[in-house]
Amino acid sequence: MRQVKNTKIKKRTRRHNKIRARISGVSRTPRLSVFRSNKYIYAQLIDDSKGVTLVASSDKGISGKTRVERAKKTGLSLAEKAKGKKISRAVFDRGGFMYTGRVKALAEGAREGGLIF
């Protein structure tokens, strides 16, 4: 059982490193980084040139029936916070996770909120 878990983590890390080799965020277009745990989903806009998180959001305090609904609301929340900081564009970094389910819902919510990527 332990080997399966380590293999999953290694595969995701490998995918994430391949993505990060091509993607980086600057102050004008920060990187929208997504992390998905079993319970929650986290998203943040990062300026890689300075190494600073500009805006962050998670679904810990958000109510919803399913995790997918909460992920979409998290994307909307992140987009609203980004508007407050006058950020309209971003580069999407799915963090090695597959672009389905909660990751896709978060991205759609951020797009609906006004972020362009």
Side-chain angles (χ1 to χ4, degrees):
M1 188 71 178
R2 184 139 174 93
Q3 284 182 335
V4 173
K5 183 178 180 184
N6 285 338
T7 310
K8 274 185 165 183
I9 293 169
K10 286 178 184 175
K11 283 182 176 181
R12 188 187 77 80
T13 305
R14 192 185 79 238
R15 283 192 305 265
H16 183 55
N17 289 336
K18 283 170 64 176
I19 292 167
R20 285 288 289 122
R22 291 174 287 187
I23 292 174
S24 68
V26 293
S27 60
R28 212 169 242 206
T29 57
R31 176 170 55 98
L32 195 164
S33 177
V34 176
F35 178 74
R36 186 195 69 186
S37 71
N38 288 337
K39 271 187 163 184
Y40 303 111
I41 192 160
Y42 306 88
Q44 52 186 341
L45 290 172
I46 303 169
D47 180 1
D48 288 319
S49 60
K50 295 178 185 172
V52 175
T53 298
L54 305 171
V55 176
S57 183
S58 73
D59 68 342
K60 281 189 175 181
I62 295 174
S63 62
K65 288 185 178 179
T66 65
R67 290 183 295 177
V68 174
E69 289 174 2
R70 290 197 316 258
K72 190 165 189 172
K73 289 180 182 179
T74 303
L76 284 166
S77 167
L78 184 82
E80 290 299 318
K81 291 178 183 178
K83 275 185 187 176
K85 297 248 181 167
K86 297 181 179 155
I87 299 170
S88 61
R89 297 183 146 282
V91 178
F92 191 69
D93 174 14
R94 59 189 173 89
F97 299 103
M98 296 295 144
Y99 187 78
T100 58
R102 292 190 283 159
V103 176
K104 185 176 180 180
L106 187 135
E108 289 172 352
R111 283 190 184 109
E112 283 180 22
L115 272 179
I116 300 168
F117 55 90

